[in-house]
Amino acid sequence: MHTCTIRESFTSLAIIGEKEILCFLKKNHNSQTKVCYRQQIERGEHYFSNPCLCICCLSQTLISSISLIHNSDLVVSPRFAGKISPLGEGSKKLPQALIIGVKKGGTRALLEFLRVHPDIRAVGAEPHFFDRNYDYGLEWYRDLMPKTLEGQITMEKTPSYFVTREAPARISAMSRDTKLIVVVRDPVTRAISDYTQTLSKKPDIPSFESLTFKNRTTGLIDTSWSAIQIGIYAKHLDNWLQYFPMDQILFVSGERLISDPAGELGRVQDFLGLKRIITDKHFYFNQTKGFPCLKKAEGSSKPHCLGKTKGRTHPNIDPEVVQRLRDFYRPFNMKFYQMTGRFFGWDH
């Protein structure tokens, strides 16, 4: 029995990715084969064996052009019309856009939503190139990227870039034209979410309240604690504005990404110069998790919500501590609103 990999497939990996279904069987194959093929794709399996080899093992000559595809046993998904290319076409490019922050702001949700767009190709894992792996060089970084065709945008997301002092200069050295996206969220809620994530990995850490203060009696906030420090957005933005103009940085509201995902995605698509393809029809609200999910994720026909690590229940925090944090962040928030020209409404 012949087994073949996706890399032996009939079309470019730049188009089908690892899980996308570019074409589906139109005729001459029974429904059982179609179901088997689709199930393997949805499980993320990157190989096909009989009776599911009919897609990847078709002769490449069958699909050497659009006309041959339409005349063969395959029909092209409208999403990819006009973008068919022979195997190997497309190239790996350095990213033209980066999601640079912030941790626990909603960056994973934004990336998953954006990957629905056919003109966006993104790395799934966080490369951490501009903070931890810079010494490996730009060619190493480029090799991590997916192949793209002309008109497609290469993206990655690493939320720690926003708070890494060296990152703006390094990204500017790669390209001064890089577009930067920052998902921001109420810094108090963000800090509690950050703590909750750490607590899930290290249950024996001190309480949120004790970590918040250098001295609780005097109410002095410990700004060296990363959970607090990340939320001083104005301070970090000052560093980025030394290398990038404000019109190359888009700030996405983490709250609106939940309450109005299509609206925020519209702003992002405009910022990237892309057609507004991601709209309300792509989302439904999951009452259990408390945030929106995709009706159909990239390369799947099934609904998709973010993993179980997203939307964790936060511990109860002393209301007095929460209020002190709100008072602490207020002047920084006001400066951030002025700098960005957008009111995020975090100061109740």
Side-chain angles (χ1 to χ4, degrees):
M1 177 172 64
H2 179 72
T3 301
C4 54
T5 68
I6 265 188
R7 295 186 183 277
E8 292 173 293
S9 185
F10 52 81
T11 191
S12 170
L13 278 171
I15 292 299
I16 66 170
E18 291 291 308
K19 296 183 182 179
E20 290 172 358
I21 302 173
L22 172 61
C23 300
F24 59 89
L25 295 178
K26 184 178 181 183
K27 60 183 180 180
N28 295 341
H29 296 288
N30 60 42
S31 59
Q32 183 181 1
T33 303
K34 293 187 222 178
V35 169
C36 184
Y37 163 66
R38 185 177 290 276
Q39 285 177 342
Q40 282 195 300
I41 286 285
E42 287 172 354
R43 288 198 301 268
E45 296 175 8
H46 300 161
Y47 60 87
F48 301 84
S49 303
N50 283 331
C52 296
L53 59 83
C54 46
I55 289 293
C56 76
C57 296
L58 282 172
S59 167
Q60 189 173 329
T61 59
L62 281 178
I63 50 85
S64 58
S65 71
I66 279 261
S67 61
L68 283 178
I69 289 178
H70 284 299
N71 290 330
S72 75
D73 291 342
L74 302 169
V75 60
V76 183
S77 166
R79 176 178 160 193
F80 296 101
K83 292 188 177 179
I84 303 302
S85 62
L87 179 62
E89 273 198 18
S91 59
K92 293 186 176 186
K93 300 179 181 68
L94 291 169
Q96 299 102 312
L98 300 171
I99 299 174
I100 59 172
V102 298
K103 181 183 179 186
K104 307 311 295 179
T107 59
R108 172 55 59 184
L110 178 61
L111 186 69
E112 292 299 308
F113 295 164
L114 283 174
R115 289 174 78 171
V116 171
H117 200 294
D119 288 331
I120 290 177
R121 301 285 295 149
V123 182
E126 296 174 4
H128 283 280
F129 176 66
F130 294 104
D131 54 355
R132 302 176 193 168
N133 298 314
Y134 193 64
D135 289 343
Y136 287 123
L138 284 173
E139 287 308 308
W140 176 88
Y141 184 48
R142 187 199 309 268
D143 197 51
L144 298 178
M145 300 300 139
K147 286 185 177 181
T148 52
L149 299 174
E150 186 177 351
Q152 290 183 313
I153 292 176
T154 303
M155 290 187 70
E156 68 111 323
K157 78 109 176 167
T158 303
S160 50
Y161 291 162
F162 188 62
V163 297
T164 300
R165 177 156 293 279
E166 302 82 8
R170 290 172 174 178
I171 294 171
S172 178
M174 175 185 74
S175 173
R176 292 181 181 178
D177 296 325
T178 306
K179 293 187 176 183
L180 308 171
I181 301 171
V182 191
V183 187
V184 288
R185 180 185 184 188
D186 180 336
V188 178
T189 311
R190 197 222 65 82
I192 297 170
S193 180
D194 198 335
Y195 173 80
T196 303
Q197 182 181 53
T198 305
L199 185 65
S200 71
K201 299 173 182 176
K202 301 176 182 177
D204 56 344
I205 60 170
S207 69
F208 180 87
E209 290 83 351
S210 62
L211 290 168
T212 297
F213 298 103
K214 280 186 178 178
N215 185 321
R216 187 160 183 180
T217 305
T218 61
L220 185 63
I221 303 291
D222 187 357
T223 56
S224 67
W225 184 30
S226 65
I228 300 294
Q229 193 251 353
I230 289 171
I232 308 174
Y233 302 139
K235 171 190 167 187
H236 303 302
L237 180 54
D238 271 332
N239 189 32
W240 287 89
L241 291 177
Q242 295 178 46
Y243 297 89
F244 292 93
M246 187 63 87
D247 62 6
Q248 269 178 246
I249 309 174
L250 179 71
F251 291 91
V252 174
S253 165
E255 288 82 12
R256 284 184 61 82
L257 200 56
I258 294 173
S259 64
D260 180 22
E264 286 300 282
L265 265 292
R267 294 180 64 245
V268 177
Q269 290 170 95
D270 291 347
F271 175 69
L272 295 174
L274 298 174
K275 183 178 178 181
R276 285 197 178 199
I277 287 176
I278 307 168
T279 61
D280 281 325
K281 69 181 182 182
H282 287 90
F283 302 100
Y284 74 96
F285 192 81
N286 185 305
Q287 297 290 347
T288 304
K289 280 187 167 287
F291 51 71
C293 301
L294 289 167
K295 290 180 181 177
K296 290 184 180 180
E298 179 201 29
S300 175
S301 61
K302 291 183 178 179
H304 173 68
C305 287
L306 297 179
K308 62 183 179 181
T309 61
K310 306 299 179 182
R312 293 187 185 95
T313 302
H314 291 179
N316 292 322
I317 307 298
D318 184 337
E320 182 186 344
V321 173
V322 172
Q323 188 56 51
R324 289 210 186 177
L325 275 177
R326 295 213 174 279
D327 295 340
F328 166 77
Y329 278 121
R330 187 169 292 108
F332 297 109
N333 290 345
M334 293 302 175
K335 182 181 178 184
F336 183 65
Y337 299 162
Q338 286 182 322
M339 293 170 80
T340 60
R342 187 175 185 191
F343 178 70
F344 289 90
W346 298 323
D347 303 282
H348 309 302

